[in-house]
Amino acid sequence: MEGRLLLNLLVPESCLSIPHPVRLQSLDMRPSQIPGQALALCLLLLCLPVSGCRSSKKVPPTVEFTQIPEAGEGGPDRIVPIAGRVQNGHPGQQIVLYAKSGRWWVQPRTIEPFTDVAADGRWHNSTHLGTEYAAILVETGYHPEDIIDAPPAEGGPVLARAMIKGTPAPEAQFKTLRFSGYDWTVRHISGDRNGAPNAYDTRNAWTDGKGFLHLRVTGNANQWFCSEVIQNRNLGYGTYRFTLTDIAHMEPALALSLFTWDATTVAAAHREMTIEFSRWGDPNSKNAQFVVQPFYVAANVSRFETAPGRITASFRWEPGKASFEAGPAGAGASHPSTTHVFTSGIPTPGDERVRIHLCGFHYSKVPLQHEGEVVVEKFEYLP
C-alpha cells in the first residue's frame, strides 16, 4: 500500500518572507500527487530546528588599531596621536590605552585614563611614546591601574584587547641655535605642556642680528604651532636670569614659561622650577607667577602682576631654597621688583635643562585669537 503524507505544521513568520503564518493541514494525498515545490517546502519544514530560525549567539566585540605610533623609549616629553576601531561594541563601553616603557603606563595621563568610542566604533586619542601599545575595551565602571606589568586579559569587565609594536621611528631632524653663549635645541616633536597636546614648528624659534631669541606661536584656531628651545647642558645650583622685552601685548591665552626640566626622571616633579607669564585665559587674572612644581600644592605658587616694559626675571637655586625675583629691567626703574622664596620641595640637581617655551593655553576662558611672539634678549647663569 502506498504511503500517505499528513502534515499539520505552523511555519513561523520569521522563517518565510510572507505576511502571515501558513498552516498546511491534512495533505491527504500520495507523494506522487504532491507538486514538487510543495514537497520541497514540506521537507524543509521538517528539518527546521525546534528552537526557531534565528540564532541567539552573541558576537564578541573586538578592538584594533588604525593609527599606530612610532616606537620609542617613552618619557613625559613627547606625545603622539593614536587611533583605532571597535567592532560589535555597545554604548557606554570605553577604551583604556597603555604604552610600554619598561612597564605599561596608562595613557594619555593618569587623570584621563579613558578614551571614548564613537557611535561608528572609532576611537582616537594621544599617547606618550612606548615600544608597544595596548588598547583595552572595558565596561562602564572599570578602574584601570596607572602602571602595570602586563595588560589585563579578557574576562569580566575587560571585553577585548589589542596589542601592537610601535612603528619604526623616522629619522630625527634636529635644529640648534646659539643664544647667550649656549647651544639650544629647537623642539620639533609634539608634547603636552600645560596639560594638552601641542604641535611645534622649528621655524617659530630663531635669533636676530642682535642675538635676541624670538619665539612665536603660529597657525589658527584649528591648529596652533608652538615654539620651545632646550639648553644642551645642565647647570645645577646657581642663579638663572632672563631679560625680556615688553610682554604687555600678550593675549590672555598666551603663555611664556622659563623653567628647568629633567626629562630623565619623574622624581621631584622633573626638577621643574618655573617663571611664567600668562593670564591663563582670564583677562582679569594676574599675568605672572613663580612655581616650584607640583603646582597643585598651593604653597608652591606665587602669582603677581608685572608692569609694562622690559623685564628681568630670575631665580637663585640653592640646597633647600629657591629665591625668585621679577621686575623692570635696567637702572632707575619706577616699579619695584616682586620676590618670593620657596623652602619646601626644592629639588636637588640632576640632568635638568633650561627651557624657554611659548604656547597657547588650551583651557582658556578666552581662546587664543591671533598669532603671538615674544623676545628674550638674554639668558645668564651665575654659579
Side-chain angles (χ1 to χ4, degrees):
M1 181 171 60
E2 296 186 32
R4 296 175 180 271
L5 182 63
L6 181 64
L7 295 178
N8 188 16
L9 299 174
L10 180 65
V11 183
E13 291 184 46
S14 60
C15 298
L16 298 175
S17 299
I18 53 179
H20 301 289
V22 174
R23 184 177 298 277
L24 304 177
Q25 294 189 15
S26 302
L27 295 180
D28 189 5
M29 59 181 70
R30 296 179 179 86
S32 60
Q33 295 176 310
I34 300 176
Q37 291 182 347
L39 179 60
L41 175 61
C42 293
L43 295 175
L44 173 64
L45 296 176
L46 290 173
C47 295
L48 290 173
V50 177
S51 60
C53 300
R54 289 192 179 118
S55 173
S56 60
K57 183 178 179 181
K58 294 182 179 179
V59 178
T62 60
V63 59
E64 62 181 350
F65 293 95
T66 58
Q67 184 173 8
I68 306 168
E70 66 185 71
E73 286 304 319
D77 200 42
R78 185 177 180 187
I79 194 166
V80 293
I82 187 171
R85 181 170 49 239
V86 171
Q87 300 280 7
N88 304 313
H90 296 286
Q93 296 170 349
Q94 293 177 298
I95 292 289
V96 177
L97 296 171
Y98 284 94
K100 185 178 183 181
S101 182
R103 301 177 71 190
W104 293 84
W105 303 69
V106 72
Q107 299 298 318
R109 51 187 62 86
T110 56
I111 60 174
E112 297 175 309
F114 294 106
T115 298
D116 292 331
V117 180
D120 63 358
R122 299 180 185 275
W123 55 266
H124 65 88
N125 208 327
S126 55
T127 178
H128 295 87
L129 287 184
T131 55
E132 298 179 59
Y133 301 93
I136 316 298
L137 181 66
V138 298
E139 292 281 16
T140 303
Y142 181 76
H143 298 286
E145 296 185 60
D146 296 342
I147 308 172
I148 54 179
D149 293 322
E154 295 179 9
V158 177
L159 305 173
R161 75 173 189 177
M163 299 170 59
I164 199 164
K165 294 184 180 296
T167 60
E171 184 177 348
Q173 298 179 350
F174 293 105
K175 174 185 175 181
T176 61
L177 53 80
R178 188 76 174 173
F179 170 58
S180 290
Y182 296 91
D183 291 323
W184 306 71
T185 297
V186 180
R187 186 184 189 117
H188 70 280
I189 58 176
S190 58
D192 60 351
R193 181 75 184 173
N194 299 329
N198 298 321
Y200 295 83
D201 189 333
T202 58
R203 295 172 295 181
N204 285 347
W206 75 95
T207 54
D208 61 23
K210 298 179 181 179
F212 294 175
L213 172 65
H214 293 249
L215 296 179
R216 299 200 71 206
V217 171
T218 58
N220 53 54
N222 294 321
Q223 178 66 77
W224 294 110
F225 293 93
C226 310
S227 54
E228 182 178 25
V229 295
I230 305 167
Q231 199 172 66
N232 287 0
R233 56 170 294 191
N234 61 315
L235 301 173
Y237 289 131
T239 297
Y240 297 71
R241 181 180 294 124
F242 306 83
T243 302
L244 315 173
T245 58
D246 191 356
I247 63 165
H249 66 282
M250 287 175 55
E251 287 187 38
L254 199 61
L256 172 65
S257 301
L258 319 169
F259 63 108
T260 57
W261 177 272
D262 188 343
T264 66
T265 181
V266 297
H270 299 284
R271 296 187 169 91
E272 181 180 351
M273 295 174 289
T274 311
I275 304 171
E276 290 180 306
F277 296 94
S278 181
R279 298 189 189 276
W280 304 113
D282 183 355
N284 299 315
S285 175
K286 295 178 180 179
N287 70 347
Q289 63 185 22
F290 303 134
V291 185
V292 172
Q293 295 291 351
F295 71 91
Y296 50 79
V297 177
N300 288 0
V301 180
S302 176
R303 289 193 58 74
F304 61 97
E305 183 76 19
T306 59
R310 295 174 64 241
I311 297 171
T312 296
S314 66
F315 61 89
R316 179 152 187 85
W317 183 17
E318 304 173 85
K321 182 180 180 181
S323 305
F324 287 75
E325 182 175 358
S334 59
H335 296 277
S337 296
T338 299
T339 62
H340 191 87
V341 177
F342 297 95
T343 57
S344 177
I346 307 303
T348 56
D351 195 32
E352 72 289 334
R353 310 297 172 91
V354 176
R355 299 185 177 214
I356 306 175
H357 180 277
L358 182 69
C359 201
F361 180 52
H362 295 262
Y363 305 107
S364 172
K365 292 181 180 179
V366 181
L368 192 64
Q369 303 293 317
H370 306 96
E371 296 182 344
E373 180 178 338
V374 298
V375 179
V376 184
E377 297 182 8
K378 183 169 52 177
F379 166 74
E380 300 170 275
Y381 168 75
L382 303 173

